[in-house]
Amino acid sequence: MASPESSAAGGVAVIGSGLIGRSWAMLFAAGGIPVRLYDVDPRQVTGALDNIRKEMTLLAQSGSLKGALSAEEQLSLIGGCSDIREAVEGAMHIQECVPEDLELKQQLFAQLDGIMDDDVVLSSSSSCLLPSKLFAGLAHRKQCLVAHPVNPPYHVPLVELVPHPETAPATVDRTHALMRKIGQSPVRIMKEIDGFALNRLQYAVISEAWRLVEEGVVSPGDLDLVMSEGLGMRYAFIGPLETMHLNAEGMLSYCDRYSEGMKRVLKTFGPIPEFSGATAEKVHQAMCVKVPDDPAHLAARREWRDRCLMRLAKLKSQRKPTLWASFPPAPGPRSGVSGRLCLGPTLALTRDTRDPTHGSAGERPF
């Protein structure tokens, strides 16, 4: 492993050596950026470095290692550090990864505010805490923002960039460019809102899923199938808005055809669930039939999930979508001419537009 001295100026300081901190360290190293990994407990750093070495070795063996550098080259960029001043000295970016506790994070940011340079970006990995609360009163708050990764960060590239009301636009731009450099997919949240975008969408799905089970509409197992074998397959490649656009003759057509039906269904949604009591026990039992809740079974299932995400990431990397606006219109469905849908450099789907099993665009709103 690299010593702290080898992680020279212009690198990244990662504060916190848990799962998220280790993942960030690996991602920055994959982009060729020196990393100093700090934790209040030096033993945690030692254990984290050992874990990173094991993880990178396995990733290299499976062909899933990110970046152009070898595992050893990436490992040489990551060094442990037991002094927070030394960790942030000369860094161009600080990524905080301590537990999701507002008071703990505020104390850390106050400490960092007193030792960081005027041109370094201070970024929090918080999943829900508002930047206006995290960075309140800091002298360097124009250099602060949230960069929220998705668990597990190494395999899921999305990063939500959420500014403090006083965050400088250049801070967001720099962080966006850095995330792109290390292979992540940053999105700009234009203003702070509780839950940001990802968790607001996630909690909306969880809430209605819970109500459907609680009201006896569907079993817990079948509810998960609705997502994993239905919506989730599509949403792995296109989002809900593009789904609307494609399921009619464009977005305006979809809204014109289906808005009344959507509003009718939405009016039947119930109150916010308590996520407790009999329904919680029912869901728990159903989940334990599939995956017992002891540490060994849960760890094995998480490893299976991560392997699936690796394979999905490889597939997505092969099909970078082309901007359809750059192509002339395809023949219409009544022309009797076969259409060819180009999905990227290596994948293509060919179908005969006369095939009645496909139907015409816009026949169904889902």
Side-chain angles (χ1 to χ4, degrees), residues 336-355:
V337 179
S338 295
R340 182 171 178 83
L341 307 181
C342 178
L343 302 183
T346 60
L347 299 180
L349 172 65
T350 304
R351 68 169 174 86
D352 189 331
T353 57
R354 297 169 297 183
D355 186 346

Side-chain angles (χ1 to χ4, degrees), residues 289-303:
V289 169
K290 188 173 186 178
V291 185
D293 63 352
D294 61 273
H297 280 94
L298 290 172
R301 186 65 169 177
R302 292 186 191 108
E303 290 179 8

Side-chain angles (χ1 to χ4, degrees), residues 257-270:
R257 294 182 185 190
Y258 306 119
S259 61
E260 290 304 317
M262 287 191 292
K263 288 188 287 184
R264 186 191 72 249
V265 173
L266 287 168
K267 289 177 181 177
T268 69
F269 281 30

